[in-house]
Amino acid sequence: MAKTTSVARRIQANRRLERDGATADDVDRAKGWLGAVFSAYPGIVAERSRVQAQADGFVVTCVFGASDLGRAAALAVDFIAGRVGTRVATDADTARVRCTATQFVRFQQVLYYASELQVGRRPQAKLSDPPLPTLLGRALSAFAHHYDAARGEDRAIPQLGAWANALRVVGPDGIDQRELGRRAVISKRLAEVVVSRLERRGRVSVDAVAVPGKRGKARRVQLTADGTAARNAAAHLVDTVQEDWRQRFGNDDIVRLRDALASVVDRLPVELPHYVTGYGAADSSVTGGDYVAEDPGPPRIPAHGQDWPVVMRKPDSFAADLPLPALLSQVLAAFAIDYERERLGHLQDVSNFLRFVGDEGVPLARAQALGGVSGNGKTAHERHVDVVVEPGSARDEGRRVYLTPKGRRMRDAYPHLVAEIERGWCADHGDAVPAMRSLLATMTEQFGDDLPDLPDYPDTNGWIHRLWFD
């Protein structure tokens, strides 16, 4: 696993830097790191790039190569300079960034964040067959598609994600909003968004209730009559689609698939969502990063954000009776957690976007369709400096999007890393993994007949945004 500073430490350091400004030690560390960053940034000519101290601050000189990598590096330097609040003077293949001490430190930090030093490495590899998470993701996406097709225009029946990650866990007596997040295994911040939107949709009511022996009031979530009908209708529709799949793919194969999935789920140390979802409405990671470090255990508790609930799996809980989408979701989420612990990107982002961007870049429209990149500097991949976008107006169709070195490392590591994790799973879970692969591969071939454009990883956040009107 790549060793980098934890999210918690980075946040604390950045807050101190913004509050107090750069110290002499901060500047010395930044100077010491900058040469290594230049060397780890393909497209920047390290031997000709340097930093010079001046009376009123610093000038960072970056010289770029003539290739697509040089073009991408120049765009990154310009973007980072704007992000830290300074300007760039460009002359042929050279950019000069004039900055204060604090801006210099921040410039070095963000350039480091975009470089190859930020992430690990895996050997070059090629995939001869679709990787296991792709097979899982396409199966879950296909189930959601068939579910939506069955409900048709009847918006009285909620989306699969809204049922699985919210309505399903609200009993007849209601539930504390914090407990809803734990029952559904979604983050506190996501539970707040989902409950708010379900309340506006009229499916839940929320009341402030006094808690004996505690200060303040708790938010009690109660299903409305419409919410109860929606929850029951969704559960019935899931059963209907499961029965359809038994007819479509054969009862014996579905039983074998369920058995293989359940055997993996039963061995997971923590509960995972019944419809794979992100940490927040704009964060596709399963657990929200590493603000809380991983506990190697046993049992192993994954690294997670402050708001992600750690819900230990009970010894007497068995996955055999779970709906098929819940089994698919939990196995896929478990794979994503193992992938993301290696600090080589979020599995959804690499699967659906980064691995389709070559060194020559892609048109902005393509990057927007695959990864939600808008070119305004505010979307997730731009803020995390996975990509850089050519300047221009929103109407300029000729703008291109390039990967940073960090983005290219994530892209290039994907084939080896997914195969590495699958080999580890075979050792841990035995015959369940090859059985799962074989059955899902056969199903995927049949999906291609009527669902040729299934994503390699489900849209984990789309259901959240659609709660406004669905």
Side-chain angles (χ1 to χ4, degrees):
M1 193 184 338
K3 294 183 181 296
T4 62
T5 305
S6 73
V7 171
R9 290 182 180 273
R10 290 202 302 268
I11 290 173
Q12 292 166 1
N14 287 336
R15 286 175 178 169
R16 193 268 304 164
L17 186 66
E18 292 172 1
R19 183 184 68 244
D20 302 331
T23 65
D25 287 343
D26 292 330
V27 172
D28 287 342
R29 278 194 294 270
K31 287 180 180 178
W33 269 105
L34 196 58
V37 174
F38 284 154
S39 298
Y41 208 111
I44 294 180
V45 183
E47 307 80 45
R48 298 171 57 196
S49 302
R50 61 192 181 278
V51 58
Q52 295 172 293
Q54 296 191 341
D56 58 346
F58 298 86
V59 174
V60 181
T61 301
C62 300
V63 181
F64 309 107
S67 64
D68 287 324
L69 299 185
R71 171 63 173 158
L75 291 170
V77 166
D78 187 69
F79 173 77
I80 294 168
R83 181 162 164 174
V84 303
T86 188
R87 294 183 178 181
V88 178
T90 304
D91 179 17
D93 62 350
T94 303
R96 294 178 177 83
V97 184
R98 187 176 299 274
C99 44
T100 66
T102 300
Q103 289 170 338
F104 168 63
V105 173
R106 290 290 295 129
F107 178 86
Q108 178 271 316
Q109 290 176 339
V110 182
L111 193 66
Y112 167 89
Y113 187 57
S115 76
E116 293 180 345
L117 296 173
Q118 169 62 18
V119 289
R121 181 192 291 273
R122 287 297 188 280
Q124 290 290 323
K126 291 185 178 180
L127 293 170
S128 57
D129 298 304
L132 181 59
T134 293
L135 297 173
L136 291 162
R138 288 178 180 172
L140 182 57
S141 296
F143 194 99
H145 176 88
H146 291 150
Y147 175 96
D148 284 338
R151 73 181 182 130
E153 298 298 321
D154 186 0
R155 291 302 181 259
I157 304 176
Q159 302 171 78
L160 183 59
W163 170 72
N165 291 337
L167 298 175
R168 174 184 62 85
V169 302
V170 184
D173 297 326
I175 190 172
D176 185 287
Q177 183 170 297
R178 291 169 295 185
E179 183 61 20
L180 182 149
R182 288 184 58 81
R183 292 269 188 91
V185 200
I186 60 175
S187 68
K188 175 183 174 183
R189 67 186 62 185
L190 184 57
E192 290 174 352
V193 171
V194 170
V195 168
S196 173
R197 294 184 182 180
L198 287 174
E199 184 180 21
R200 291 189 60 174
R201 180 66 173 78
R203 287 187 165 141
V204 302
S205 60
V206 182
D207 298 308
V209 179
V211 180
K214 294 185 179 181
R215 298 178 60 184
K217 294 185 177 182
R219 288 170 57 83
R220 190 78 182 170
V221 180
Q222 189 87 32
L223 290 176
T224 63
D226 285 346
T228 300
R231 183 195 60 189
N232 296 340
H236 177 72
L237 189 55
V238 167
D239 290 341
T240 299
V241 177
Q242 288 186 124
E243 182 58 34
D244 177 66
W245 274 37
R246 291 181 186 278
Q247 299 297 323
R248 186 188 298 253
F249 302 114
N251 182 69
D252 290 346
D253 280 355
I254 292 297
V255 169
R256 285 195 293 269
L257 176 61
R258 288 182 56 88
D259 288 345
L261 293 167
S263 70
V264 173
V265 173
D266 280 335
R267 297 187 64 182
L268 298 177
V270 297
E271 294 284 355
L272 295 170
H274 283 210
Y275 186 84
V276 65
T277 194
Y279 181 66
D283 186 343
S284 65
S285 65
V286 176
T287 64
D290 64 351
Y291 192 93
V292 179
E294 176 183 309
D295 180 352
R300 176 165 69 91
I301 309 300
H304 56 276
Q306 287 179 299
D307 291 344
W308 193 74
V310 175
V311 183
M312 302 305 299
R313 188 173 296 278
K314 297 178 181 179
D316 59 349
S317 67
F318 300 100
D321 295 330
L322 291 178
L324 182 57
L327 294 171
L328 290 166
S329 173
Q330 293 192 66
V331 175
L332 178 58
F335 198 103
I337 288 171
D338 283 355
Y339 189 99
E340 290 163 9
R341 75 191 294 252
E342 300 301 321
R343 301 179 187 273
L344 281 163
H346 302 156
L347 183 56
Q348 174 179 318
D349 298 336
V350 182
S351 297
N352 289 347
F353 173 44
L354 298 180
R355 69 192 187 96
F356 297 108
V357 183
D359 289 348
E360 71 282 1
V362 294
L364 177 57
R366 172 87 169 146
Q368 189 164 34
L370 293 175
V373 178
S374 69
N376 63 4
K378 298 179 181 180
T379 55
H381 287 295
E382 295 171 86
R383 287 187 290 105
H384 289 284
V385 212
D386 301 332
V387 302
V388 287
V389 186
E390 288 182 332
S393 68
R395 298 180 180 180
D396 186 353
E397 297 181 358
R399 299 168 70 188
R400 294 187 72 78
V401 177
Y402 299 88
L403 298 179
T404 62
K406 179 177 75 166
R408 290 194 295 274
R409 275 281 183 91
M410 293 175 180
R411 175 197 67 192
D412 296 342
Y414 173 84
H416 187 276
L417 183 52
V418 291
E420 177 184 286
I421 294 171
E422 185 170 342
R423 286 194 297 271
W425 274 33
C426 287
D428 291 341
H429 300 293
D431 293 341
V433 176
M436 187 191 312
R437 161 175 281 284
S438 175
L439 291 161
L440 288 171
T442 300
M443 293 171 65
T444 298
E445 292 177 1
Q446 297 182 55
F447 294 150
D449 296 337
D450 60 336
L451 299 174
D453 298 321
L454 287 173
D456 288 351
Y457 195 96
D459 179 4
T460 58
N461 294 328
W463 68 273
I464 305 165
H465 301 303
R466 289 192 295 273
L467 285 176
W468 286 114
F469 53 85
D470 190 1

